[in-house]
Amino acid sequence: MLETLMSKVRGYIPNDRLRVVVDAYEYAEDAHRGQTRKSGEPFIEHPLQTAVALADLRLDADALAAALLHDVVEDRHDISIEDIRERFGGQVANLVDGVTKFTEAEMAASAGGGGARTVSAQAQAETIRKMLIAMSEDIRVVLIKLADRLHNMRTIRYLPPAKRIEKSKETLDIYAPLAHRLGIWDLKWKLEDMAFQQLNPEEYRSISLRLNSTRRERERYIENAKVILRKELEKAGIGCEVLGRPKSIYSIHCKTAKYALQNKTVDDIHDLFALRVLVDSVQDCYAALGVIHTRWHPVPGEFDDYVANPKDNLYQSIHTTVVAEDVHSVEIQIRTHEMHQLAEYGVAAHWLYKEGDAGDESFDKKVVWLRQIIEGLKDVTEAEEFLESAKKDFFADHIFVYTPLGELKELPAGATPLDFAFRIHTDLIFRCIGAKVNGKLVPLTYQLRNGDTCQILTSKTVRRPSLDWLNKDLGYVKTGSARAKVQQWFKRQERSVNIQRGRDLYRRHIHRLTSLRDERVAALMGIGKLDEFLAQLGDGSLSVAHVVNKLSSREKEAKDEVRHQQELGMPISSSAGIEVLGVGDLLTSVARCCNPISGDKIIGFVTRAKGVTIHRLSCPNILHEDEPERLVPVSWGSRTEVRYPVRIQVKSMDRVGLLGDITSLVSAEKVNITSCVSEEYDDVSIITLTMHVSGTDQLSRLFFDLDSVKGVMSVRRTNL
Ligand code: MN
């Protein structure tokens, strides 16, 4: 049995290191003697297969030994990590220790979820956290864990159904994305396909049947394309190897699902074609690309150059999709042999031939991004928030952005300059005062795009972050780790400071919108104590936008109530919504004799003292009116919605044209001003406006506009 492993290992591990692998095998076989797996095989088969998978990735002797020993300490209580350290050395012992801790976290996770049920968020968060920490210490721990999972998935049919589902979900949620992030594609696809087969057996069968039934046609087509491609490249003097590339069942499933969402249909085999071109040099990559695009039409938007912009997980390749021979689109990957090796082995390639060599500094630099993400995540304390952050920061779609010095940073899609600043140095976020993208100033909410160069403009000193950064709707910060850092800043402030900040926010943004007392607004938000309400506003756990929304939905309810009364035929209390044609804004009131309601045919009567009263056209009082010259045509008008009278006060530096600026702004919002009083004190002028607005949201918009008028110092609502 050991021979399977040794035949793979002899090719690349130096002879003097083979001994430790054999030793570890014998030690493990002895330790697990008499133990069997659910499949009935001797237990040693499991650590052995784990080591074989790692040998395929060409991992070093210490990692293989640790893989062989990975279950020993856990299964044999009489063998400790110290025993392993004594016999196999510190490296092997640390790796085994890491894997064991990892496994303990995993078991705790399953136990927390009751085994058969889905793992609780708390437990899953804990697993990921331990995993990330173990990984930041030594990536080989995770590689061993991935190989361990691979063999467990291969033998999953021996587990009860509920356990199978649980393990498969975990594999798809955590392990496959992890393999992806580490660039070990081969392992990723295997894990995905096996998990998918358990979770969605019907779909799995249907796709594999489709693959089989089209196999002959596909092979003929691909063979033909290969021949043409090889000939063209040879003609151009490019030495190459052209390979057909199998696509995984799970990746086809994802593509079909994506197309279905976009309402696009795929002809059945469209996505099943793939080719790979291996060449000798980077220069040849681009030369080959030129040849391919000359011969076959590229599909727009389906091009990625990871040769010029390698991924942080070291992956390099040119991806293009072309329509080959005017029939099918074919995905083609172009890379050098060296890049190919990296693409196959991912970070594991680091250990290739490394045995006995000095450490690889450039590699350490390249996995710095990993450590940074993990560092950032350490600050997130809530389990669910941690999980959300980890998923977003670690497993989401990523973009690549350059620093001005040409260094690449990887960020989740949708990240902003603040996220970028955080990624460069976690404290830089507190010195950021602006950003330039590709040489141009951008707002801090700018969403970075793949290939952008971003420069962070900084102040010399640390500045107070803005609470707006925590508001998800405003889009300043995308990554959970950066948001946690900002949140932490506010939480660490004294409560009194938070209350004061909350009070300022309240005065500036909320108080002026409502006539409710402050305590009532707090109560509306479900907070009994005003101080607590202000503290929450001040530390960012409650956002201004949230409070404003609550206030305006409350007003909307009140308005609906009025409208409801109108529909019921109750008299309306104001003249709201009535236009008197040709007379301008006269005082109107509804006649009590006939109580017209919205939709009735109406006519106005000009009274001597109360302006115009509105009657139904059929009202007997009107029919018998002996002064017909006092009747005026009226209509319900187009604005039948209810409007609220409000009074606001604008305090401003006095200047020529101020009043005009303000009133034209107000009418631009389509708000009618019913009165306007202006008073001057020295250089300051106070303008009091009475007007009708449709609600709090409109008033809020208006305040926002008025704030930006030149000279305006404050705007607030006053009592009517
Ligand atoms: Mn195991």
Side-chain angles (χ1 to χ4, degrees):
M1 286 201 292
L2 176 61
E3 193 40 40
T4 357
L5 177 62
M6 295 319 283
S7 65
K8 292 193 186 230
V9 160
R10 271 186 211 108
Y12 74 97
I13 287 186
N15 284 337
D16 58 326
R17 297 290 289 148
L18 288 177
R19 192 64 234 162
V20 69
V21 180
V22 178
D23 265 2
Y25 176 79
E26 283 166 359
Y27 190 91
E29 195 189 26
D30 193 44
H32 290 299
R33 195 177 305 280
Q35 213 184 334
T36 51
R37 299 200 94 217
K38 289 220 166 66
S39 58
E41 325 170 273
F43 190 89
I44 186 66
E45 189 63 16
H46 169 66
L48 180 66
Q49 288 308 324
T50 305
V52 167
L54 293 174
D56 284 337
L57 294 176
R58 316 190 80 179
L59 242 66
D60 65 350
D62 283 344
L64 295 179
L68 288 165
L69 297 165
H70 83 267
D71 278 326
V72 166
V73 178
E74 204 198 305
D75 289 350
R76 288 283 303 264
H77 295 292
D78 52 335
I79 298 176
S80 74
I81 272 296
E82 291 320 311
D83 297 329
I84 303 279
R85 192 181 308 277
E86 219 166 275
R87 173 123 187 205
F88 297 97
Q91 284 260 349
V92 177
N94 288 345
L95 289 171
V96 173
D97 195 31
V99 176
T100 308
K101 283 194 181 125
F102 204 110
T103 311
E104 279 165 7
E106 213 179 29
M107 306 250 281
S110 313
R117 297 206 321 277
T118 27
V119 178
S120 75
Q122 170 91 43
Q124 204 183 21
E126 209 38 56
T127 314
I128 299 184
R129 193 201 296 269
K130 290 221 168 130
M131 184 155 73
L132 294 177
I133 289 167
M135 181 156 68
S136 69
E137 276 156 15
D138 192 331
I139 284 183
R140 285 176 295 179
V141 169
V142 177
L143 297 176
I144 295 171
K145 214 42 221 180
L146 285 170
D148 172 51
R149 176 53 63 112
L150 183 72
H151 185 248
N152 285 336
M153 287 304 288
R154 283 200 167 126
T155 51
I156 198 167
R157 63 181 177 281
Y158 299 106
L159 293 179
K163 203 82 188 157
R164 269 186 247 165
I165 301 287
E166 185 198 322
K167 290 283 162 205
S168 299
K169 271 193 183 143
E170 206 177 58
T171 299
L172 221 44
D173 276 357
I174 300 175
Y175 289 90
L178 205 50
H180 173 93
R181 300 289 287 133
L182 297 175
I184 315 169
W185 310 109
D186 185 54
L187 206 58
K188 168 193 143 117
W189 287 325
K190 282 178 184 154
L191 288 171
E192 279 176 349
D193 275 3
M194 286 189 287
F196 181 57
Q197 186 176 12
Q198 293 297 323
L199 293 172
N200 201 339
E202 273 168 43
E203 178 72 6
Y204 182 91
R205 238 178 82 81
S206 128
I207 293 175
S208 53
L209 277 178
R210 211 159 81 208
L211 280 175
N212 284 335
S213 69
T214 57
R215 175 153 295 146
R216 191 163 300 166
E217 189 198 343
R218 256 184 313 133
E219 283 173 355
R220 203 178 321 124
Y221 182 75
I222 278 290
E223 214 34 63
N224 187 30
K226 265 159 79 174
V227 170
I228 295 171
L229 197 53
R230 212 173 278 135
K231 222 182 274 165
E232 290 286 333
L233 289 169
E234 255 162 44
K235 237 195 289 171
I238 305 169
C240 69
E241 201 178 325
V242 182
L243 311 165
R245 186 163 61 86
K247 295 194 95 177
S248 85
I249 291 184
Y250 185 67
S251 75
I252 292 168
H253 162 75
C254 289
K255 268 220 162 122
T256 347
K258 198 168 95 191
Y259 274 67
L261 270 182
Q262 299 168 336
N263 268 335
K264 277 198 266 180
T265 45
V266 210
D267 75 88
D268 261 4
I269 36 177
H270 167 269
D271 270 316
L272 310 181
F273 296 108
L275 283 174
R276 187 173 283 149
V277 177
L278 303 183
V279 295
D280 294 326
S281 67
V282 171
Q283 223 178 344
D284 282 354
C285 286
Y286 291 102
L289 180 70
V291 170
I292 292 168
H293 279 185
T294 310
R295 171 78 203 217
W296 292 323
H297 262 296
V299 176
E302 300 282 321
F303 177 77
D304 286 298
D305 183 355
Y306 298 117
V307 169
N309 304 316
K311 293 192 178 186
D312 265 9
N313 63 18
L314 318 175
Y315 179 82
Q316 281 186 296
S317 213
I318 294 173
H319 293 187
T320 184
T321 302
V322 296
V323 181
E325 302 304 291
D326 294 329
V327 190
H328 298 295
S329 41
V330 179
E331 203 184 284
I332 303 179
Q333 295 179 344
I334 310 164
R335 51 172 79 141
T336 65
H337 290 98
E338 217 181 309
M339 293 171 192
H340 181 58
Q341 195 166 56
L342 197 72
E344 294 291 290
Y345 300 134
V347 293
H350 166 61
W351 283 275
L352 290 181
Y353 320 115
K354 197 197 141 197
E355 199 83 37
D357 279 7
D360 179 351
E361 266 174 56
S362 73
F363 171 80
D364 285 339
K365 226 183 243 167
K366 278 166 182 162
V367 290
V368 158
W369 58 271
L370 239 173
R371 301 227 165 86
Q372 279 178 341
I373 291 174
I374 295 161
E375 279 302 310
L377 287 171
K378 276 184 188 158
D379 288 339
V380 188
T381 46
E382 293 293 314
E384 264 167 64
E385 214 170 291
F386 172 82
L387 200 62
E388 192 195 321
S389 297
K391 280 187 175 157
K392 200 184 291 160
D393 293 5
F394 201 74
F395 301 122
D397 277 350
H398 284 71
I399 55 166
F400 298 90
V401 178
Y402 291 97
T403 68
L405 295 176
E407 213 181 312
L408 261 184
K409 296 285 167 193
E410 191 179 7
L411 292 159
T416 66
L418 287 171
D419 294 307
F420 184 72
F422 177 80
R423 184 58 45 85
I424 292 174
H425 187 283
T426 56
D427 285 330
L428 191 61
I429 200 168
F430 298 128
R431 293 202 289 124
C432 174
I433 49 171
K436 279 184 175 178
V437 168
N438 307 327
K440 284 200 192 105
L441 272 174
V442 295
L444 286 180
T445 50
Y446 176 86
Q447 296 205 349
L448 292 164
R449 280 192 291 255
N450 221 358
D452 275 350
T453 297
C454 182
Q455 181 190 356
I456 300 298
L457 308 174
T458 55
S459 65
K460 287 223 166 60
T461 52
V462 168
R463 289 157 51 99
R464 193 168 70 80
S466 162
L467 263 181
D468 286 346
W469 295 1
L470 293 176
N471 185 336
K472 288 183 191 175
D473 297 336
L474 297 179
Y476 282 99
V477 177
K478 163 93 178 175
T479 56
S481 38
R483 178 173 295 122
K485 184 86 182 173
V486 177
Q487 175 90 60
Q488 193 194 55
W489 192 93
F490 284 106
K491 287 249 163 92
R492 279 192 187 153
Q493 302 287 297
E494 293 271 347
R495 182 172 162 90
S496 61
V497 175
N498 281 332
I499 292 179
Q500 187 51 47
R501 190 182 308 110
R503 186 169 289 129
D504 286 349
L505 279 170
Y506 187 84
R507 293 261 162 257
R508 257 190 303 139
H509 299 293
I510 303 172
H511 181 66
R512 62 188 192 180
L513 286 176
T514 176
S515 50
L516 288 180
R517 277 187 308 120
D518 304 351
E519 288 81 4
R520 281 277 292 137
V521 177
L524 200 64
M525 300 312 296
I527 302 170
K529 287 217 169 72
L530 182 61
D531 269 4
E532 179 54 28
F533 170 69
L534 296 175
Q536 286 192 20
L537 267 180
D539 75 14
S541 25
L542 185 65
S543 75
V544 168
H546 193 167
V547 180
V548 170
N549 279 341
K550 190 84 184 182
L551 283 172
S552 55
S553 66
R554 185 179 161 277
E555 294 215 351
K556 202 175 267 157
E557 277 168 26
K559 262 194 320 195
D560 287 346
E561 182 58 24
V562 172
R563 201 171 286 147
H564 185 62
Q565 286 179 2
Q566 284 178 348
E567 280 158 9
L568 287 175
M570 291 179 189
I572 42 174
S573 52
S574 75
S575 59
I578 300 171
E579 270 176 336
V580 180
L581 298 179
V583 191
D585 248 357
L586 278 183
L587 183 63
T588 55
S589 62
V590 174
R592 293 189 181 279
C593 51
C594 57
N595 276 331
I597 59 164
S598 175
D600 286 343
K601 287 210 163 88
I602 46 173
I603 191 156
F605 178 78
V606 184
T607 66
R608 287 181 208 283
K610 288 195 305 183
V612 179
T613 44
I614 310 298
H615 295 260
R616 293 193 198 197
L617 204 53
S618 58
C619 175
N621 288 337
I622 292 297
L623 290 174
H624 301 112
E625 181 50 57
D626 43 10
E627 289 179 275
E629 65 277 8
R630 290 173 66 180
L631 293 175
V632 291
V634 293
S635 78
W636 289 105
S638 50
R639 29 175 196 122
T640 46
E641 63 169 314
V642 179
R643 284 176 174 259
Y644 288 88
V646 290
R647 182 167 295 159
I648 67 170
Q649 216 168 58
V650 183
K651 194 168 155 194
S652 171
M653 298 302 289
D654 195 24
R655 63 172 175 88
V656 179
L658 175 69
L659 198 60
D661 285 354
I662 289 177
T663 50
S664 65
L665 232 165
V666 175
S667 21
E669 257 293 337
K670 298 206 165 45
V671 170
N672 283 340
I673 301 174
T674 52
S675 105
C676 176
V677 181
S678 171
E679 301 156 85
E680 269 98 56
Y681 307 93
D682 296 330
D683 287 345
V684 176
S685 109
I686 293 183
I687 297 161
T688 308
L689 298 164
T690 311
M691 54 197 190
H692 286 84
V693 296
S694 60
T696 318
D697 26 4
Q698 188 178 39
L699 190 59
S700 173
R701 266 200 310 276
L702 197 61
F703 276 179
F704 189 77
D705 293 344
L706 288 171
D707 272 338
S708 60
V709 170
K710 197 176 134 208
V712 166
M713 295 179 289
S714 76
V715 189
R716 66 188 188 93
R717 186 170 176 180
T718 65
N719 282 332
L720 277 164

